[in-house]
Amino acid sequence: MESILDIRGLEKTYSGGVQALRGVDLAIRKGEIFALLGPNGAGKTTLIGAVCGLVRPTGGTMHAFGLDIAKHWKTARRRIGLVPQELSFDMFDTVIRQVRYSRGMFGCPPDEAKVEEILRSLSLWDKRDAQIRQLSGGMKRRVMIAKALSHDPELLFLDEPTAGVDVELRRDMWRQIDALRARGVTIILTTHYIEEAEEMADRVGVINAGEILLVDDKDAMMAQLGRTEAHFELAEAMAEVPTSLSAYPLHLEKDGQSLVYRGGDGTGKGKREIAELAQELTRQGIGFTGLDTRESTLEDIFVDLVHQREEEAA
Ligand SMILES: Nc1ncnc2c1ncn2[C@@H]1O[C@H](COP(=O)(O)OP(=O)(O)O)[C@@H](O)[C@H]1O
Ligand SMILES: [Mg+2]
């Protein structure tokens, strides 16, 4: 698979001493949607800033489109679009002027047909003469995307595109991003919303404290780490898990009132074991009054990964 972006050993220590990136390796495939998932302060914006020339790395190399970004920064940057985390524009300017202006900033000649196409694709054409300040938050974000697309980038970064956006607008944004991918744009988005990575991404990278913990196909990640959880609410509290049930991954919660299963591997094993376990409990005369089951989410996986790392480090 062809890499459109190849990052090796990327380091960033800010002047105050914060180590925001600690040897990041990342290869992005042409045409994919890659979600970089991590909590606040993980280093997502710093990583994007390094690729887009806003942050000067303190170590490592970056190649985009086969070009060494350090040596061919301008050429590479022209082929990259960035929708930054913070909204930033001249609030009194009009939508269409902002998009034209962005295009000019990248040294592209005026092209009204192109500008129209971008505005139409984001349902902004009717608003083209509106001042930015007159638009809703969701519309403002679309203008940010329109600006980032003004020079026809092949690689687009969206830094927390839906942070603080309500659910409906978020879905709308997801559709827009999907449409961009259909046009052949490679997309890297950062998010701390698990559903966003789950919904949008072909692959997911998990970043924490400046380190990439894992990169995998979204489905493979779910299968590898997917787990099932079941809570049996017991008719009578237990002091400990009976040895007759030691074959199952069980523990007690809520003062022995709840028998909890955590197991499975994403192949459906968890569900089978829970069904078996329910029969086994009945057979052994252990009554339960309720049963809750759920599949783990990327959020659980993320918490697990961070714990694993901490344990390894300890
Ligand atoms: N300009 C800066 N100067 C000093 N420290 C910074 C600067 N920008 C970010 N940091 C620090 O670097 C770390 C990573 O920040 P950031 O890349 O913004 O993370 P994220 O986007 O994942 O929330 C944080 O500890 C943050 O406080
Ligand atoms: Mg950020």
Side-chain angles (χ1 to χ4, degrees):
M1 185 79 65
E2 197 183 338
S3 286
I4 194 165
L5 177 65
D6 201 351
I7 295 172
R8 301 266 169 95
L10 195 67
E11 304 267 347
K12 175 62 186 180
T13 305
Y14 283 106
S15 51
V18 175
Q19 241 187 307
L21 299 175
R22 303 162 187 254
V24 167
D25 296 322
L26 191 60
I28 301 300
R29 299 169 184 167
K30 199 167 186 298
E32 76 176 336
I33 297 185
F34 187 91
L36 191 61
L37 183 67
N40 281 329
K44 303 182 296 296
T45 298
T46 301
L47 182 61
I48 289 180
V51 178
C52 295
L54 303 171
V55 168
R56 186 188 292 271
T58 45
T61 60
M62 298 177 288
H63 287 80
F65 324 103
L67 299 166
D68 182 340
I69 295 184
K71 291 199 190 106
H72 304 279
W73 182 72
K74 270 203 156 158
T75 321
R77 184 63 183 86
R78 277 188 177 195
R79 297 165 70 177
I80 297 173
L82 167 63
V83 183
Q85 191 169 356
E86 306 297 335
L87 299 173
S88 60
F89 1 58
D90 177 348
M91 289 290 171
F92 291 91
D93 207 354
T94 64
V95 170
I96 195 162
R97 282 217 309 255
Q98 283 275 302
V99 177
R100 282 182 193 135
Y101 175 73
S102 285
R103 191 176 158 79
M105 289 276 288
F106 286 98
C108 298
D111 183 341
E112 284 304 296
K114 182 84 222 168
V115 170
E116 177 171 345
E117 182 207 315
I118 291 167
L119 290 176
R120 283 192 188 280
S121 75
L122 289 158
S123 309
L124 283 169
W125 184 243
D126 292 345
K127 301 272 187 215
R128 63 190 176 279
D129 295 320
Q131 287 183 337
I132 307 285
R133 68 188 177 102
Q134 297 170 317
L135 302 178
S136 67
M139 283 291 181
K140 286 194 185 95
R141 254 171 221 278
R142 285 193 196 185
V143 179
M144 297 285 289
I145 296 181
K147 286 176 65 176
L149 292 175
S150 65
H151 59 293
D152 239 346
E154 294 151 64
L155 178 60
L156 180 67
F157 286 95
L158 294 147
D159 198 359
E160 310 237 6
T162 63
V165 164
D166 70 36
V167 177
E168 200 172 317
L169 274 173
R170 196 177 300 166
R171 298 209 165 271
D172 187 54
M173 188 65 72
W174 291 350
R175 276 192 292 274
Q176 303 289 348
I177 294 170
D178 226 28
L180 290 173
R181 190 245 300 265
R183 283 166 48 183
V185 180
T186 304
I187 293 163
I188 301 174
L189 63 89
T190 72
T191 183
H192 55 259
Y193 296 117
I194 308 299
E195 322 86 85
E196 190 148 273
E198 220 161 0
E199 178 78 22
M200 296 298 306
D202 300 305
R203 289 194 308 149
V204 179
V206 177
I207 184 169
N208 185 58
E211 278 183 89
I212 303 270
L213 300 179
L214 182 74
V215 173
D216 212 337
D217 289 343
K218 180 185 59 189
D219 296 338
M221 186 185 279
M222 293 306 285
Q224 183 195 337
L225 294 160
R227 286 182 327 182
T228 313
E229 200 172 297
H231 293 248
F232 290 90
E233 300 312 321
L234 298 171
E236 282 173 51
M238 281 178 179
E240 54 186 31
V241 179
T243 50
S244 58
L245 299 174
S246 63
Y248 298 99
L250 293 172
H251 71 272
L252 290 164
E253 282 180 14
K254 293 197 252 171
D255 292 330
Q257 287 288 346
S258 183
L259 183 65
V260 179
Y261 168 98
R262 267 201 203 96
D265 53 9
T267 67
K269 181 180 169 204
K271 276 189 180 158
R272 288 194 301 277
E273 282 199 335
I274 291 163
E276 235 175 72
L277 189 59
Q279 287 181 346
E280 193 59 36
L281 291 176
T282 310
R283 195 155 41 230
Q284 296 188 21
I286 302 169
F288 56 96
T289 56
L291 171 59
D292 262 338
T293 67
R294 68 179 188 95
E295 293 299 314
S296 57
T297 61
L298 276 172
E299 185 123 57
D300 302 323
I301 291 169
F302 176 71
V303 170
D304 273 0
L305 283 170
V306 173
H307 276 307
Q308 272 173 30
R309 277 295 163 113
E310 281 166 0
E311 274 165 25
E312 278 167 27

PDB file of all heavy atoms in Angstrom, residues 139-171:
ATOM      1  N   MET A 139     -22.224  26.047  10.455  1.00  0.00           N
ATOM      2  CA  MET A 139     -21.918  26.664   9.160  1.00  0.00           C
ATOM      3  C   MET A 139     -20.507  27.249   9.162  1.00  0.00           C
ATOM      4  O   MET A 139     -19.786  27.155   8.181  1.00  0.00           O
ATOM      5  CB  MET A 139     -22.936  27.763   8.853  1.00  0.00           C
ATOM      6  CG  MET A 139     -24.260  27.224   8.378  1.00  0.00           C
ATOM      7  SD  MET A 139     -24.085  26.475   6.731  1.00  0.00           S
ATOM      8  CE  MET A 139     -25.761  25.987   6.428  1.00  0.00           C
ATOM      9  N   LYS A 140     -20.120  27.837  10.280  1.00  0.00           N
ATOM     10  CA  LYS A 140     -18.764  28.389  10.371  1.00  0.00           C
ATOM     11  C   LYS A 140     -17.730  27.282  10.163  1.00  0.00           C
ATOM     12  O   LYS A 140     -16.729  27.463   9.483  1.00  0.00           O
ATOM     13  CB  LYS A 140     -18.536  29.040  11.741  1.00  0.00           C
ATOM     14  CG  LYS A 140     -19.240  30.368  11.929  1.00  0.00           C
ATOM     15  CD  LYS A 140     -18.685  31.089  13.157  1.00  0.00           C
ATOM     16  CE  LYS A 140     -19.445  32.366  13.459  1.00  0.00           C
ATOM     17  NZ  LYS A 140     -20.511  32.215  14.442  1.00  0.00           N
ATOM     18  N   ARG A 141     -18.013  26.130  10.754  1.00  0.00           N
ATOM     19  CA  ARG A 141     -17.090  25.019  10.589  1.00  0.00           C
ATOM     20  C   ARG A 141     -16.993  24.584   9.124  1.00  0.00           C
ATOM     21  O   ARG A 141     -15.934  24.232   8.627  1.00  0.00           O
ATOM     22  CB  ARG A 141     -17.496  23.831  11.453  1.00  0.00           C
ATOM     23  CG  ARG A 141     -16.596  23.681  12.623  1.00  0.00           C
ATOM     24  CD  ARG A 141     -17.057  22.664  13.611  1.00  0.00           C
ATOM     25  NE  ARG A 141     -16.827  23.193  14.941  1.00  0.00           N
ATOM     26  CZ  ARG A 141     -15.656  23.138  15.563  1.00  0.00           C
ATOM     27  NH1 ARG A 141     -14.632  22.545  14.995  1.00  0.00           N
ATOM     28  NH2 ARG A 141     -15.510  23.647  16.759  1.00  0.00           N
ATOM     29  N   ARG A 142     -18.135  24.616   8.452  1.00  0.00           N
ATOM     30  CA  ARG A 142     -18.118  24.277   7.028  1.00  0.00           C
ATOM     31  C   ARG A 142     -17.279  25.266   6.234  1.00  0.00           C
ATOM     32  O   ARG A 142     -16.629  24.902   5.271  1.00  0.00           O
ATOM     33  CB  ARG A 142     -19.522  24.284   6.467  1.00  0.00           C
ATOM     34  CG  ARG A 142     -20.291  23.087   6.894  1.00  0.00           C
ATOM     35  CD  ARG A 142     -21.506  23.038   6.054  1.00  0.00           C
ATOM     36  NE  ARG A 142     -22.447  22.143   6.655  1.00  0.00           N
ATOM     37  CZ  ARG A 142     -23.587  21.807   6.103  1.00  0.00           C
ATOM     38  NH1 ARG A 142     -23.926  22.328   4.943  1.00  0.00           N
ATOM     39  NH2 ARG A 142     -24.381  20.965   6.684  1.00  0.00           N
ATOM     40  N   VAL A 143     -17.350  26.536   6.632  1.00  0.00           N
ATOM     41  CA  VAL A 143     -16.531  27.529   5.940  1.00  0.00           C
ATOM     42  C   VAL A 143     -15.047  27.211   6.153  1.00  0.00           C
ATOM     43  O   VAL A 143     -14.236  27.334   5.229  1.00  0.00           O
ATOM     44  CB  VAL A 143     -16.854  28.973   6.406  1.00  0.00           C
ATOM     45  CG1 VAL A 143     -15.974  29.974   5.683  1.00  0.00           C
ATOM     46  CG2 VAL A 143     -18.318  29.291   6.173  1.00  0.00           C
ATOM     47  N   MET A 144     -14.714  26.758   7.363  1.00  0.00           N
ATOM     48  CA  MET A 144     -13.320  26.356   7.632  1.00  0.00           C
ATOM     49  C   MET A 144     -12.907  25.233   6.675  1.00  0.00           C
ATOM     50  O   MET A 144     -11.783  25.213   6.174  1.00  0.00           O
ATOM     51  CB  MET A 144     -13.169  25.844   9.069  1.00  0.00           C
ATOM     52  CG  MET A 144     -13.454  26.866  10.138  1.00  0.00           C
ATOM     53  SD  MET A 144     -12.153  28.071  10.337  1.00  0.00           S
ATOM     54  CE  MET A 144     -10.892  27.063  11.096  1.00  0.00           C
ATOM     55  N   ILE A 145     -13.823  24.301   6.457  1.00  0.00           N
ATOM     56  CA  ILE A 145     -13.514  23.192   5.550  1.00  0.00           C
ATOM     57  C   ILE A 145     -13.374  23.717   4.122  1.00  0.00           C
ATOM     58  O   ILE A 145     -12.438  23.361   3.403  1.00  0.00           O
ATOM     59  CB  ILE A 145     -14.589  22.084   5.625  1.00  0.00           C
ATOM     60  CG1 ILE A 145     -14.604  21.465   7.026  1.00  0.00           C
ATOM     61  CG2 ILE A 145     -14.330  21.009   4.570  1.00  0.00           C
ATOM     62  CD1 ILE A 145     -15.608  20.349   7.200  1.00  0.00           C
ATOM     63  N   ALA A 146     -14.295  24.592   3.734  1.00  0.00           N
ATOM     64  CA  ALA A 146     -14.236  25.162   2.379  1.00  0.00           C
ATOM     65  C   ALA A 146     -12.895  25.853   2.150  1.00  0.00           C
ATOM     66  O   ALA A 146     -12.268  25.699   1.101  1.00  0.00           O
ATOM     67  CB  ALA A 146     -15.388  26.149   2.178  1.00  0.00           C
ATOM     68  N   LYS A 147     -12.440  26.604   3.157  1.00  0.00           N
ATOM     69  CA  LYS A 147     -11.143  27.281   3.040  1.00  0.00           C
ATOM     70  C   LYS A 147     -10.012  26.263   2.883  1.00  0.00           C
ATOM     71  O   LYS A 147      -9.111  26.435   2.063  1.00  0.00           O
ATOM     72  CB  LYS A 147     -10.881  28.142   4.286  1.00  0.00           C
ATOM     73  CG  LYS A 147     -11.705  29.412   4.318  1.00  0.00           C
ATOM     74  CD  LYS A 147     -11.494  30.180   5.604  1.00  0.00           C
ATOM     75  CE  LYS A 147     -10.058  30.687   5.725  1.00  0.00           C
ATOM     76  NZ  LYS A 147      -9.893  31.526   6.948  1.00  0.00           N
ATOM     77  N   ALA A 148     -10.102  25.200   3.681  1.00  0.00           N
ATOM     78  CA  ALA A 148      -9.036  24.186   3.637  1.00  0.00           C
ATOM     79  C   ALA A 148      -9.024  23.453   2.298  1.00  0.00           C
ATOM     80  O   ALA A 148      -8.008  22.892   1.903  1.00  0.00           O
ATOM     81  CB  ALA A 148      -9.216  23.194   4.781  1.00  0.00           C
ATOM     82  N   LEU A 149     -10.182  23.447   1.611  1.00  0.00           N
ATOM     83  CA  LEU A 149     -10.275  22.740   0.331  1.00  0.00           C
ATOM     84  C   LEU A 149     -10.006  23.665  -0.861  1.00  0.00           C
ATOM     85  O   LEU A 149      -9.974  23.214  -2.003  1.00  0.00           O
ATOM     86  CB  LEU A 149     -11.676  22.133   0.168  1.00  0.00           C
ATOM     87  CG  LEU A 149     -12.034  20.992   1.111  1.00  0.00           C
ATOM     88  CD1 LEU A 149     -13.484  20.586   0.901  1.00  0.00           C
ATOM     89  CD2 LEU A 149     -11.114  19.800   0.897  1.00  0.00           C
ATOM     90  N   SER A 150      -9.813  24.951  -0.559  1.00  0.00           N
ATOM     91  CA  SER A 150      -9.768  25.948  -1.639  1.00  0.00           C
ATOM     92  C   SER A 150      -8.664  25.682  -2.649  1.00  0.00           C
ATOM     93  O   SER A 150      -8.790  26.041  -3.811  1.00  0.00           O
ATOM     94  CB  SER A 150      -9.601  27.345  -1.046  1.00  0.00           C
ATOM     95  OG  SER A 150      -8.331  27.427  -0.407  1.00  0.00           O
ATOM     96  N   HIS A 151      -7.602  25.042  -2.226  1.00  0.00           N
ATOM     97  CA  HIS A 151      -6.481  24.797  -3.147  1.00  0.00           C
ATOM     98  C   HIS A 151      -6.417  23.321  -3.554  1.00  0.00           C
ATOM     99  O   HIS A 151      -5.375  22.854  -3.968  1.00  0.00           O
ATOM    100  CB  HIS A 151      -5.164  25.274  -2.526  1.00  0.00           C
ATOM    101  CG  HIS A 151      -4.825  24.602  -1.223  1.00  0.00           C
ATOM    102  ND1 HIS A 151      -5.558  24.796  -0.076  1.00  0.00           N
ATOM    103  CD2 HIS A 151      -3.857  23.730  -0.898  1.00  0.00           C
ATOM    104  CE1 HIS A 151      -5.038  24.059   0.897  1.00  0.00           C
ATOM    105  NE2 HIS A 151      -4.012  23.404   0.426  1.00  0.00           N
ATOM    106  N   ASP A 152      -7.549  22.623  -3.401  1.00  0.00           N
ATOM    107  CA  ASP A 152      -7.644  21.251  -3.880  1.00  0.00           C
ATOM    108  C   ASP A 152      -6.613  20.293  -3.273  1.00  0.00           C
ATOM    109  O   ASP A 152      -5.891  19.607  -3.991  1.00  0.00           O
ATOM    110  CB  ASP A 152      -7.444  21.249  -5.404  1.00  0.00           C
ATOM    111  CG  ASP A 152      -8.654  20.669  -6.097  1.00  0.00           C
ATOM    112  OD1 ASP A 152      -9.489  20.043  -5.421  1.00  0.00           O
ATOM    113  OD2 ASP A 152      -8.738  20.831  -7.331  1.00  0.00           O
ATOM    114  N   PRO A 153      -6.532  20.217  -1.950  1.00  0.00           N
ATOM    115  CA  PRO A 153      -5.506  19.370  -1.330  1.00  0.00           C
ATOM    116  C   PRO A 153      -5.782  17.881  -1.530  1.00  0.00           C
ATOM    117  O   PRO A 153      -6.941  17.474  -1.658  1.00  0.00           O
ATOM    118  CB  PRO A 153      -5.621  19.723   0.152  1.00  0.00           C
ATOM    119  CG  PRO A 153      -7.040  20.133   0.329  1.00  0.00           C
ATOM    120  CD  PRO A 153      -7.420  20.833  -0.944  1.00  0.00           C
ATOM    121  N   GLU A 154      -4.704  17.116  -1.562  1.00  0.00           N
ATOM    122  CA  GLU A 154      -4.846  15.657  -1.674  1.00  0.00           C
ATOM    123  C   GLU A 154      -4.926  15.027  -0.290  1.00  0.00           C
ATOM    124  O   GLU A 154      -5.402  13.910  -0.116  1.00  0.00           O
ATOM    125  CB  GLU A 154      -3.629  15.078  -2.401  1.00  0.00           C
ATOM    126  CG  GLU A 154      -3.545  15.508  -3.847  1.00  0.00           C
ATOM    127  CD  GLU A 154      -2.099  15.548  -4.324  1.00  0.00           C
ATOM    128  OE1 GLU A 154      -1.461  14.477  -4.355  1.00  0.00           O
ATOM    129  OE2 GLU A 154      -1.615  16.648  -4.651  1.00  0.00           O
ATOM    130  N   LEU A 155      -4.372  15.764   0.676  1.00  0.00           N
ATOM    131  CA  LEU A 155      -4.321  15.272   2.051  1.00  0.00           C
ATOM    132  C   LEU A 155      -4.961  16.340   2.931  1.00  0.00           C
ATOM    133  O   LEU A 155      -4.572  17.508   2.878  1.00  0.00           O
ATOM    134  CB  LEU A 155      -2.847  15.068   2.435  1.00  0.00           C
ATOM    135  CG  LEU A 155      -2.499  14.608   3.850  1.00  0.00           C
ATOM    136  CD1 LEU A 155      -3.127  13.258   4.161  1.00  0.00           C
ATOM    137  CD2 LEU A 155      -0.976  14.518   3.990  1.00  0.00           C
ATOM    138  N   LEU A 156      -5.954  15.931   3.691  1.00  0.00           N
ATOM    139  CA  LEU A 156      -6.692  16.916   4.502  1.00  0.00           C
ATOM    140  C   LEU A 156      -6.651  16.532   5.975  1.00  0.00           C
ATOM    141  O   LEU A 156      -6.982  15.407   6.343  1.00  0.00           O
ATOM    142  CB  LEU A 156      -8.146  16.984   4.029  1.00  0.00           C
ATOM    143  CG  LEU A 156      -9.054  17.967   4.770  1.00  0.00           C
ATOM    144  CD1 LEU A 156      -8.630  19.409   4.516  1.00  0.00           C
ATOM    145  CD2 LEU A 156     -10.517  17.776   4.361  1.00  0.00           C
ATOM    146  N   PHE A 157      -6.239  17.485   6.798  1.00  0.00           N
ATOM    147  CA  PHE A 157      -6.267  17.290   8.247  1.00  0.00           C
ATOM    148  C   PHE A 157      -7.481  18.001   8.821  1.00  0.00           C
ATOM    149  O   PHE A 157      -7.722  19.178   8.526  1.00  0.00           O
ATOM    150  CB  PHE A 157      -5.030  17.899   8.902  1.00  0.00           C
ATOM    151  CG  PHE A 157      -3.786  17.116   8.676  1.00  0.00           C
ATOM    152  CD1 PHE A 157      -2.921  17.440   7.638  1.00  0.00           C
ATOM    153  CD2 PHE A 157      -3.462  16.046   9.496  1.00  0.00           C
ATOM    154  CE1 PHE A 157      -1.769  16.714   7.423  1.00  0.00           C
ATOM    155  CE2 PHE A 157      -2.307  15.311   9.295  1.00  0.00           C
ATOM    156  CZ  PHE A 157      -1.464  15.655   8.247  1.00  0.00           C
ATOM    157  N   LEU A 158      -8.214  17.292   9.642  1.00  0.00           N
ATOM    158  CA  LEU A 158      -9.338  17.891  10.356  1.00  0.00           C
ATOM    159  C   LEU A 158      -9.047  17.713  11.842  1.00  0.00           C
ATOM    160  O   LEU A 158      -9.068  16.588  12.345  1.00  0.00           O
ATOM    161  CB  LEU A 158     -10.636  17.173   9.990  1.00  0.00           C
ATOM    162  CG  LEU A 158     -11.102  17.323   8.540  1.00  0.00           C
ATOM    163  CD1 LEU A 158     -11.822  16.073   8.065  1.00  0.00           C
ATOM    164  CD2 LEU A 158     -12.025  18.524   8.418  1.00  0.00           C
ATOM    165  N   ASP A 159      -8.742  18.814  12.501  1.00  0.00           N
ATOM    166  CA  ASP A 159      -8.375  18.722  13.914  1.00  0.00           C
ATOM    167  C   ASP A 159      -9.616  18.913  14.771  1.00  0.00           C
ATOM    168  O   ASP A 159     -10.124  20.021  14.894  1.00  0.00           O
ATOM    169  CB  ASP A 159      -7.299  19.770  14.232  1.00  0.00           C
ATOM    170  CG  ASP A 159      -6.566  19.470  15.527  1.00  0.00           C
ATOM    171  OD1 ASP A 159      -6.901  18.460  16.193  1.00  0.00           O
ATOM    172  OD2 ASP A 159      -5.652  20.243  15.878  1.00  0.00           O
ATOM    173  N   GLU A 160     -10.100  17.841  15.328  1.00  0.00           N
ATOM    174  CA  GLU A 160     -11.323  17.840  16.149  1.00  0.00           C
ATOM    175  C   GLU A 160     -12.474  18.542  15.431  1.00  0.00           C
ATOM    176  O   GLU A 160     -13.011  19.536  15.935  1.00  0.00           O
ATOM    177  CB  GLU A 160     -11.046  18.519  17.490  1.00  0.00           C
ATOM    178  CG  GLU A 160      -9.805  17.970  18.147  1.00  0.00           C
ATOM    179  CD  GLU A 160     -10.044  17.407  19.528  1.00  0.00           C
ATOM    180  OE1 GLU A 160     -11.209  17.336  19.967  1.00  0.00           O
ATOM    181  OE2 GLU A 160      -9.069  17.004  20.156  1.00  0.00           O
ATOM    182  N   PRO A 161     -12.861  18.010  14.263  1.00  0.00           N
ATOM    183  CA  PRO A 161     -13.855  18.708  13.461  1.00  0.00           C
ATOM    184  C   PRO A 161     -15.209  18.861  14.135  1.00  0.00           C
ATOM    185  O   PRO A 161     -15.973  19.747  13.775  1.00  0.00           O
ATOM    186  CB  PRO A 161     -13.983  17.823  12.214  1.00  0.00           C
ATOM    187  CG  PRO A 161     -13.500  16.482  12.620  1.00  0.00           C
ATOM    188  CD  PRO A 161     -12.442  16.738  13.646  1.00  0.00           C
ATOM    189  N   THR A 162     -15.502  18.044  15.095  1.00  0.00           N
ATOM    190  CA  THR A 162     -16.840  18.103  15.689  1.00  0.00           C
ATOM    191  C   THR A 162     -16.807  18.411  17.182  1.00  0.00           C
ATOM    192  O   THR A 162     -17.795  18.214  17.869  1.00  0.00           O
ATOM    193  CB  THR A 162     -17.608  16.789  15.460  1.00  0.00           C
ATOM    194  OG1 THR A 162     -16.915  15.743  16.126  1.00  0.00           O
ATOM    195  CG2 THR A 162     -17.728  16.467  13.989  1.00  0.00           C
ATOM    196  N   ALA A 163     -15.675  18.915  17.672  1.00  0.00           N
ATOM    197  CA  ALA A 163     -15.609  19.260  19.098  1.00  0.00           C
ATOM    198  C   ALA A 163     -16.651  20.330  19.405  1.00  0.00           C
ATOM    199  O   ALA A 163     -16.750  21.330  18.701  1.00  0.00           O
ATOM    200  CB  ALA A 163     -14.218  19.764  19.450  1.00  0.00           C
ATOM    201  N   GLY A 164     -17.463  20.092  20.398  1.00  0.00           N
ATOM    202  CA  GLY A 164     -18.455  21.067  20.818  1.00  0.00           C
ATOM    203  C   GLY A 164     -19.623  21.239  19.861  1.00  0.00           C
ATOM    204  O   GLY A 164     -20.374  22.190  19.966  1.00  0.00           O
ATOM    205  N   VAL A 165     -19.743  20.298  18.910  1.00  0.00           N
ATOM    206  CA  VAL A 165     -20.819  20.377  17.928  1.00  0.00           C
ATOM    207  C   VAL A 165     -21.909  19.390  18.354  1.00  0.00           C
ATOM    208  O   VAL A 165     -21.606  18.311  18.841  1.00  0.00           O
ATOM    209  CB  VAL A 165     -20.249  20.001  16.531  1.00  0.00           C
ATOM    210  CG1 VAL A 165     -21.341  19.690  15.551  1.00  0.00           C
ATOM    211  CG2 VAL A 165     -19.352  21.112  16.012  1.00  0.00           C
ATOM    212  N   ASP A 166     -23.172  19.775  18.193  1.00  0.00           N
ATOM    213  CA  ASP A 166     -24.216  18.852  18.665  1.00  0.00           C
ATOM    214  C   ASP A 166     -24.328  17.622  17.753  1.00  0.00           C
ATOM    215  O   ASP A 166     -23.756  17.576  16.675  1.00  0.00           O
ATOM    216  CB  ASP A 166     -25.554  19.560  18.875  1.00  0.00           C
ATOM    217  CG  ASP A 166     -26.192  19.990  17.565  1.00  0.00           C
ATOM    218  OD1 ASP A 166     -26.076  19.260  16.567  1.00  0.00           O
ATOM    219  OD2 ASP A 166     -26.804  21.074  17.549  1.00  0.00           O
ATOM    220  N   VAL A 167     -25.075  16.629  18.241  1.00  0.00           N
ATOM    221  CA  VAL A 167     -25.088  15.314  17.603  1.00  0.00           C
ATOM    222  C   VAL A 167     -25.517  15.370  16.136  1.00  0.00           C
ATOM    223  O   VAL A 167     -24.907  14.746  15.269  1.00  0.00           O
ATOM    224  CB  VAL A 167     -26.000  14.344  18.377  1.00  0.00           C
ATOM    225  CG1 VAL A 167     -26.084  13.001  17.685  1.00  0.00           C
ATOM    226  CG2 VAL A 167     -25.489  14.165  19.798  1.00  0.00           C
ATOM    227  N   GLU A 168     -26.524  16.176  15.869  1.00  0.00           N
ATOM    228  CA  GLU A 168     -27.050  16.254  14.513  1.00  0.00           C
ATOM    229  C   GLU A 168     -26.001  16.840  13.558  1.00  0.00           C
ATOM    230  O   GLU A 168     -25.749  16.307  12.481  1.00  0.00           O
ATOM    231  CB  GLU A 168     -28.299  17.120  14.514  1.00  0.00           C
ATOM    232  CG  GLU A 168     -29.178  16.891  13.311  1.00  0.00           C
ATOM    233  CD  GLU A 168     -30.492  17.631  13.471  1.00  0.00           C
ATOM    234  OE1 GLU A 168     -31.053  17.581  14.590  1.00  0.00           O
ATOM    235  OE2 GLU A 168     -30.926  18.256  12.511  1.00  0.00           O
ATOM    236  N   LEU A 169     -25.383  17.919  14.006  1.00  0.00           N
ATOM    237  CA  LEU A 169     -24.344  18.544  13.192  1.00  0.00           C
ATOM    238  C   LEU A 169     -23.146  17.626  13.023  1.00  0.00           C
ATOM    239  O   LEU A 169     -22.476  17.626  11.995  1.00  0.00           O
ATOM    240  CB  LEU A 169     -23.879  19.849  13.838  1.00  0.00           C
ATOM    241  CG  LEU A 169     -24.713  21.061  13.487  1.00  0.00           C
ATOM    242  CD1 LEU A 169     -24.279  22.248  14.315  1.00  0.00           C
ATOM    243  CD2 LEU A 169     -24.559  21.378  11.999  1.00  0.00           C
ATOM    244  N   ARG A 170     -22.887  16.837  14.044  1.00  0.00           N
ATOM    245  CA  ARG A 170     -21.765  15.912  13.976  1.00  0.00           C
ATOM    246  C   ARG A 170     -22.003  14.897  12.848  1.00  0.00           C
ATOM    247  O   ARG A 170     -21.136  14.637  12.036  1.00  0.00           O
ATOM    248  CB  ARG A 170     -21.611  15.194  15.317  1.00  0.00           C
ATOM    249  CG  ARG A 170     -20.274  14.513  15.451  1.00  0.00           C
ATOM    250  CD  ARG A 170     -20.115  13.868  16.798  1.00  0.00           C
ATOM    251  NE  ARG A 170     -20.210  14.831  17.879  1.00  0.00           N
ATOM    252  CZ  ARG A 170     -20.369  14.491  19.151  1.00  0.00           C
ATOM    253  NH1 ARG A 170     -20.443  13.224  19.492  1.00  0.00           N
ATOM    254  NH2 ARG A 170     -20.459  15.414  20.068  1.00  0.00           N
ATOM    255  N   ARG A 171     -23.223  14.379  12.797  1.00  0.00           N
ATOM    256  CA  ARG A 171     -23.563  13.412  11.740  1.00  0.00           C
ATOM    257  C   ARG A 171     -23.445  14.061  10.366  1.00  0.00           C
ATOM    258  O   ARG A 171     -22.970  13.457   9.400  1.00  0.00           O
ATOM    259  CB  ARG A 171     -24.974  12.853  11.927  1.00  0.00           C
ATOM    260  CG  ARG A 171     -25.106  12.119  13.217  1.00  0.00           C
ATOM    261  CD  ARG A 171     -26.148  11.012  13.176  1.00  0.00           C
ATOM    262  NE  ARG A 171     -25.934  10.156  14.319  1.00  0.00           N
ATOM    263  CZ  ARG A 171     -25.140   9.106  14.326  1.00  0.00           C
ATOM    264  NH1 ARG A 171     -24.524   8.746  13.218  1.00  0.00           N
ATOM    265  NH2 ARG A 171     -24.956   8.395  15.411  1.00  0.00           N
TER     266      ARG A 171
END
